[in-house]
Amino acid sequence: MEGINSSTDAAEMSFGELRKTLRKFRENGTRNATVTYKLGKYMCDNYSSKLGNEVWDVYEQMFFACIDLGINDIGLSYLRQIKEQFPESKRVYRLIGVLHEADGELAEAEELYKEMLEENPGDAAMTKRLISMYKTNGKTVEAVKLLVSYLETYKCDNEAWLELAELYLSEYEYEKAAYCFEELILISPANYLYHQRYAEVRYTIGGAENYLISKMHFCQAARLSGNSSNRALLGLVTVCETLRGLKGVTTEDKESCFKLVKWAKEKLTDKYEKSKVEVSDACPKKNSPKMTDHIDSGLETVCAILDSVKL
Amino acid sequence: MSKLLAFLGLVLMGHAAISVGQFRGIMKERGEADFNIPFDIILECLVGMVIASFGYIIGLNPYEDISSDSSLSAKPIEALLYRPGFYSRVSRRFGYFEDE
């Protein structure tokens, strides 16, 4: 999957590579619509019989790619094929709702979702579509209300908590967003991203207590990511630097901050040096130092930030 | 090596089975109805079973790390932030697509 971009020629890829790439896109939620459309179209035109039942997943993926690209009429053709195969499926009705939204027919989309919800009030996916529709159309208050009532029933839905956190962040409600991230951490404590995002929100709120919590969660995020998250490492440096300059922070905490910054600096410097070597080895043109210059300037920036910490 | 051990174990167990069959045949010829299977045949069968099991187990692939830490850190960020239920159209691409 490395090296796949919009200039990739689908005809040069084998059936196995095409299928693997599209599967990876589906698993990771990759929204690279142009590439998905190119590869998927080639796959459907040449290998649809080989796909078996997976062809319906590919058609759905193509439908979303078409919606993202604004070619709704082609998306409709894929939707028709899915509808023919699964005429009474609620999933298909959701896709119809998405198409109405993409065509700007918001009233029809809302009516469809509400009709489906009246038939089955416990349909979580349909509720999410309604929430998403409200959010896309700027009705944040309605979206939040509906999402909160949804979460009162489905308390362990990661996706919904993350969506609510993003909605609160968009409205600068940091305390409420922090609560959402706390719930996410309780549900998935091994997910480093939740710790990282929570630490960032706590840092944004400010105050010594929040900085200490933020430091803890940046450490956890760095550890869980196997020290691969640059953002967690840089966040750790930033929060430790802030704590060292604050009054009311104990000497022990300041010493631990000093050690953490030193540790994070070593990790970041190693990573940037290593990435510079990897890029220069992979660089196809011998006299093209642009990428290494870019990394050099990045490394200089990072070192400047870290040096300003005055270790 | 693992296949060799497993095969050896199966051969031993097969041999023990054949030995039991032959022993039964001999006992029937003698007219003895009640008999116990000789200890060495039982021992051979058990040893064969142990060797075959051992050979099969060491031939298995090493265990994969199933801790959620290892699998989550390997995923890209977009996978961790993926919210398919709240899909919304990325409308900025509208009008920029040109079919080649």
Side-chain angles (χ1 to χ4, degrees):
Chain A
M1 207 175 91
E2 288 170 3
I4 303 277
N5 53 44
S6 52
S7 60
T8 303
D9 189 3
E12 288 171 11
M13 295 172 74
S14 67
F15 166 71
E17 283 170 342
L18 282 169
R19 187 169 67 171
K20 191 178 167 188
T21 308
L22 288 173
R23 270 184 189 169
K24 205 78 181 166
F25 282 177
R26 284 200 299 276
E27 271 171 30
N28 294 337
T30 307
R31 294 283 294 271
N32 196 337
T34 316
V35 174
T36 306
Y37 179 77
K38 263 194 183 175
L39 300 184
K41 188 168 188 302
Y42 186 82
M43 174 87 115
C44 294
D45 290 346
N46 297 285
Y47 300 116
S48 61
S49 55
K50 274 191 180 182
L51 281 167
N53 283 335
E54 199 179 336
V55 72
W56 309 112
D57 287 320
V58 174
Y59 282 168
E60 191 184 21
Q61 198 175 1
M62 288 295 292
F63 169 77
F64 283 116
C66 292
I67 295 291
D68 276 344
L69 290 166
I71 40 174
N72 297 351
D73 47 348
I74 300 178
L76 179 59
S77 68
Y78 287 106
L79 180 57
R80 279 204 184 110
Q81 290 185 70
I82 300 171
K83 194 167 190 308
E84 214 176 289
Q85 180 69 15
F86 306 102
E88 295 302 318
S89 167
K90 297 281 181 275
R91 193 161 158 177
V92 171
Y93 283 115
R94 286 201 299 276
L95 298 183
I96 294 171
V98 168
L99 188 60
H100 279 312
E101 286 182 55
D103 286 337
E105 295 159 4
L106 304 173
E108 283 88 347
E110 191 172 345
E111 198 186 314
L112 174 68
Y113 296 143
K114 286 187 173 170
E115 198 183 303
M116 292 291 118
L117 280 171
E118 266 169 45
E119 275 180 30
N120 181 10
D123 190 343
M126 209 58 83
T127 311
K128 287 179 181 179
R129 281 270 22 102
L130 193 55
I131 292 165
S132 176
M133 200 197 72
Y134 285 148
K135 187 186 100 171
T136 314
N137 298 314
K139 295 181 184 174
T140 315
V141 173
E142 285 89 341
V144 168
K145 270 187 192 164
L146 191 52
L147 195 41
V148 166
S149 68
Y150 169 83
L151 281 164
E152 278 167 10
T153 315
Y154 300 95
K155 289 183 170 62
C156 290
D157 190 339
N158 274 22
E159 203 181 58
W161 280 113
L162 195 50
E163 185 69 19
L164 186 60
E166 294 296 332
L167 279 171
Y168 280 138
L169 285 172
S170 69
E171 297 295 321
Y172 310 105
E173 296 273 8
Y174 296 117
E175 286 286 352
K176 291 178 183 172
Y179 177 80
C180 296
F181 282 116
E182 283 166 4
E183 291 292 326
L184 281 165
I185 289 168
L186 284 171
I187 297 168
S188 300
N191 189 330
Y192 79 92
L193 206 62
Y194 297 156
H195 289 278
Q196 188 176 292
R197 299 294 292 272
Y198 180 59
E200 286 169 359
V201 171
R202 281 286 169 206
Y203 183 79
T204 309
I205 296 170
E209 197 184 320
N210 286 314
Y211 290 143
L212 287 168
I213 296 171
S214 176
K215 182 188 89 168
M216 216 163 52
H217 285 275
F218 272 128
C219 288
Q220 183 69 340
R223 188 189 76 83
L224 288 172
S225 67
N227 302 328
S228 66
S229 174
N230 287 359
R231 197 157 157 171
L233 292 168
L234 276 167
L236 189 57
V237 167
T238 316
V239 76
C240 288
E241 164 61 4
T242 310
L243 276 168
R244 286 179 71 219
L246 264 187
K247 288 180 187 175
V249 176
T250 63
T251 318
E252 277 174 6
D253 283 333
K254 289 191 180 181
E255 274 174 20
S256 77
C257 287
F258 178 84
K259 287 177 189 169
L260 282 168
V261 169
K262 197 173 167 196
W263 173 82
K265 183 181 177 181
E266 279 169 17
K267 290 281 173 205
L268 281 166
T269 317
D270 285 343
K271 286 181 81 186
Y272 274 97
E273 288 290 347
K274 199 178 161 192
S275 65
K276 187 176 157 187
V277 168
E278 282 173 1
V279 165
S280 61
D281 284 348
C283 197
K285 294 177 188 174
K286 281 183 189 173
N287 299 320
S288 178
K290 279 185 189 169
M291 191 56 81
T292 51
D293 282 351
H294 183 73
I295 290 182
D296 266 334
S297 67
L299 179 58
E300 276 171 23
T301 310
V302 167
C303 287
I305 293 170
L306 297 172
D307 286 340
S308 70
V309 169
K310 293 177 191 168
L311 285 173
Chain B
M1 177 69 176
S2 62
K3 283 182 185 168
L4 188 64
L5 278 174
F7 179 70
L8 180 66
L10 286 172
V11 162
L12 284 173
M13 286 169 72
H15 184 258
I18 292 167
S19 302
V20 166
Q22 284 181 338
F23 184 76
R24 276 184 71 202
I26 292 166
M27 290 291 117
K28 270 188 183 171
E29 275 177 23
R30 286 185 188 173
E32 289 177 27
D34 290 330
F35 58 89
N36 290 325
I37 298 173
F39 177 72
D40 57 342
I41 295 177
I42 295 172
L43 187 63
E44 188 186 15
C45 182
L46 287 172
V47 167
M49 189 179 75
V50 167
I51 292 173
S53 307
F54 181 71
Y56 178 71
I57 286 166
I58 63 170
L60 293 173
N61 288 333
Y63 289 132
E64 279 186 27
D65 189 0
I66 60 165
S67 66
S68 50
D69 296 14
S70 60
S71 61
L72 282 174
S73 64
K75 284 191 175 181
I77 279 187
E78 59 193 355
L80 296 169
L81 291 173
Y82 183 38
R83 305 194 292 280
F86 295 99
Y87 165 85
S88 59
R89 181 175 161 223
V90 181
S91 56
R92 67 178 177 275
R93 289 204 178 93
F94 185 73
Y96 287 85
F97 176 71
E98 289 171 12
D99 201 356
E100 290 165 13

